[in-house]
């Protein structure tokens, strides 16, 4: 006979497995097919300052100030809960309490100061004021070690923070950013790609910069478990995340270069998400009611950039002719199914009062293009067009359309396929034009036109562009607090860079589309960034 005590014990024993099951992690582990995981095969965004780097950056890293991508694109608290101006050169920042890194350490002011130190970012580079380079303001941050930064990191850091002198530790929860010059964009720079905060201790313990950069220890909702270059990136939920329990158990990104393979893998159930979907494939995917495609225009513009020192492009009239030969609306309609737009030059409406509303890119005018070529004495000599194989969605089809449009007005452009960005930027052979994109890293022209084409920008550092007046105006834009003067300077810079001495041809605003299972509730951001944080994923 079963006694009351025995029955009670039996009931308890049978209940335990059900309790254990209820407590098991029921979150979904997801797989995402991407065209590319990282161009540099590292995850420090001063080196991986790219569209694909932006996609994953804030899965594992965070910044002091964030952009409200789910809202109005305004600045919002991130690892900082508050910030205030003490003068035109200084911002005091209050750090969020209770933030834990993936290695268990708590965020302190020392982590922030270490990130913005010579060892963490700037190397031997210093701000330049009135043509003079400032002496070093402080010694090494203790615990950083003696690891050598890759040579390309300090120039990119100075592109993002041209005037930063030092970060002062006030107390464990407070730091002050001291700039060498007035800068109205300091808060925006804190929210920009490349300003992520990483663990000071983990950085110091890494034997090399590469070891650190393959697995940075941040504070984001997911922590890097394993990275296999050119293959996969595996992340796990960081359950001590200050913003709440991450809704996904693990994220696996798989590098699948061909769009058709990404789509087929999604439809077969191999992937939960497929990124970088060409617009002409959207209708086919959505014919299956189990799937949908989200996305649209983002804060990024697609350009074709010039090497103005190429013999055939030295005369600005040839470059302007190439701009007048391009029918941008045809590209938008034919290759993007009207899902993007032709913008008003290299700027965005979220620049606010700095936006030049009455500006437009050079109009499609083949007759004017032919006149300019005749005036310049262009004889039809070939101009090389370096191209990657669809790094950007529709890149190859767009290049083929451009070459044909240029041919119609008498410009001889020859496509040269390249396998990597190293080959794309190689200066040992003649360069002509290449594809590029310019993102809005912050809500001011210094985050796009200046950072791309200014004295510290990628184009001038690569010796593809130079214009003395333009460069002087860049410095004014970076150092003046007079908003009216800054707006006038920006308007003049657009005139130079897009008409008088063209640095690029504006094609269209970038757009990105992601296909997914329809039963997954997830919202796409107006950026390459993919957000799987609390509140943006559910079944």
């Amino acid at each position: 006979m079963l006694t009351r005590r025995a029955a009670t014990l039996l009931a308890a024993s049978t209940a335990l497995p059900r309790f254990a099951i209820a407590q098991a992690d029921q979150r979904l582990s997801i797989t995402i097919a991407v065209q590319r995981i990282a161009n540099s095969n590292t995850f420090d965004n001063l080196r991986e300052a790219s569209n694909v780097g932006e996609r994953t950056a804030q899965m594992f890293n965070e910044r002091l100030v964030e952009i409200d991508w789910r809202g109005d694109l305004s600045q919002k608290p991130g690892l900082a809960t508050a910030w205030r101006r003490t003068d035109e050169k200084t911002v005091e920042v209050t750090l969020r309490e209770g933030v834990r890194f993936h290695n268990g350490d708590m965020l302190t002011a020392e982590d922030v100061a270490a990130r913005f130190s010579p060892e963490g970012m700037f190397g031997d580079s210093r701000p330049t004021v009135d043509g003079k380079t400032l002496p070093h303001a402080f010694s090494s941050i203790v615990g950083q070690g003696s690891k050598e930064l890759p040579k390309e990191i300090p120039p990119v850091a100075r592109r993002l923070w041209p005037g930063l002198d030092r970060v002062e530790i006030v107390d464990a929860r407070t730091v002050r950013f001291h700039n060498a010059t007035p800068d109205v964009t300091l808060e925006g720079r804190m929210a920009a790609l490349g300003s992520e905060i990483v663990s000071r201790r983990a950085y110091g313990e890494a034997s090399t910069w590469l070891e650190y950069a393959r697995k940075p220890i941040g504070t984001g909702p997911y922590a890097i478990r394993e990275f296999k270059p050119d293959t996969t990136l595996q992340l796990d939920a960081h359950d001590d995340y200050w913003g709440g329990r991450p809704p996904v158990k693990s994220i696996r990104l798989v590098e699948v270069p061909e769009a058709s393979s990404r789509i087929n893998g999604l439809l077969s159930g191999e992937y939960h998400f497929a990124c970088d979907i060409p617009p002409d494939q959207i209708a086919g995917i959505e014919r299956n009611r189990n799937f949908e495609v989200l996305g649209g225009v983002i804060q990024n513009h697609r350009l074709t950039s010039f090497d103005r020192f190429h013999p055939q492009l030295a005369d600005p009239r040839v470059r302007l002719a190439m701009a007048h030969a391009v029918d941008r609306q045809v590209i938008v309609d034919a290759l993007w199914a009207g899902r993007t737009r032709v913008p008003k030059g290299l700027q965005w409406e979220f620049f606010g009062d700095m936006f030049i509303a009455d500006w437009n890119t050079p109009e499609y005018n083949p007759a004017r293009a032919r006149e300019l070529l005749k005036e310049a004495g262009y004889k039809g000599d070939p101009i090389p067009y370096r191209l990657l194989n669809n790094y950007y969605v529709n890149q190859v089809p767009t290049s083929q359309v451009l070459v044909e449009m240029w041919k119609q007005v008498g410009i001889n452009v020859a496509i040269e396929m390249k396998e990597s960005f190293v080959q794309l930027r190689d200066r040992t052979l003649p360069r002509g034009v290449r594809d590029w994109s310019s993102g809005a890293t912050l809500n001011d022209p210094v985050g796009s036109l200046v950072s791309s084409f200014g004295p510290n920008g990628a184009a001038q550092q690569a010796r593809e562009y130079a214009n003395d007046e333009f460069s002087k105006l860049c410095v004014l834009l970076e150092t003046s607090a007079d908003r009216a003067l800054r707006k006038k300077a920006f308007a003049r810079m657009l005139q130079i860079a897009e008409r008088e001495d063209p640095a690029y041809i504006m094609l269209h605003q970038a757009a990105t589309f992601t296909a997914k299972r329809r039963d997954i509730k997830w919202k796409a951001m107006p950026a390459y960034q993919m957000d799987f944080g609390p509140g943006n994923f559910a079944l």
Side-chain angles (χ1 to χ4, degrees), residues 378-392:
Y378 174 69
K379 304 299 184 183
D381 292 324
I383 299 170
Y385 184 175
R386 293 186 180 182
L387 193 68
L388 295 175
N389 185 19
N390 286 328
Y391 171 76
Y392 301 107

Side-chain angles (χ1 to χ4, degrees), residues 315-327:
D315 192 317
R317 290 172 293 188
V318 175
R319 285 174 270 140
L320 184 57
M322 294 179 74
H324 280 303
V326 175
D327 191 335

Side-chain angles (χ1 to χ4, degrees), residues 137-193:
F138 55 92
S139 59
S140 299
I141 297 293
V142 175
Q144 285 287 289
S146 59
K147 60 180 58 63
E148 182 179 354
L149 289 173
K151 63 180 180 180
E152 64 270 24
I153 295 296
V156 176
R158 281 299 167 201
R159 185 184 310 160
L160 177 58
W161 292 92
L164 187 64
D165 185 27
R166 69 191 189 280
V167 173
E168 173 194 359
I169 297 174
V170 178
D171 57 42
R173 305 249 67 82
T174 310
V175 294
R176 290 194 189 107
F177 281 72
H178 293 275
N179 221 52
T181 59
D183 189 343
V184 300
T185 67
L186 285 175
E187 299 87 345
R189 296 182 190 279
M190 294 179 195
L193 191 71

Side-chain angles (χ1 to χ4, degrees), residues 7 22 33 83 101 151 235 254 379 402 515 525 538:
W83 50 91
F101 285 103
K151 63 180 180 180
L235 305 105
V254 182
K379 304 299 184 183
L402 289 172
M525 305 292 105

Side-chain angles (χ1 to χ4, degrees), residues 34 43 149 165 182 224 235 245 257 262 282 323 409 438 448 476 515:
V34 299
F43 298 105
L149 289 173
D165 185 27
I224 295 175
L235 305 105
R245 191 171 187 248
R262 295 194 295 275
I282 294 176
V409 300
S438 179
S448 55
L476 185 153

Side-chain angles (χ1 to χ4, degrees), residues 13 53 58 94 105 124 139-140 148 166 185 211 231 272 275 292 300 327 358 386 426 457 462 477 480 511 538:
S13 67
Q58 291 195 277
T94 302
D105 292 352
D124 289 332
S139 59
S140 299
E148 182 179 354
R166 69 191 189 280
T185 67
E211 179 185 318
T231 307
H272 297 86
C275 298
E292 64 180 343
N300 187 286
D327 191 335
D358 60 354
R386 293 186 180 182
D426 179 25
L477 209 64
S480 174

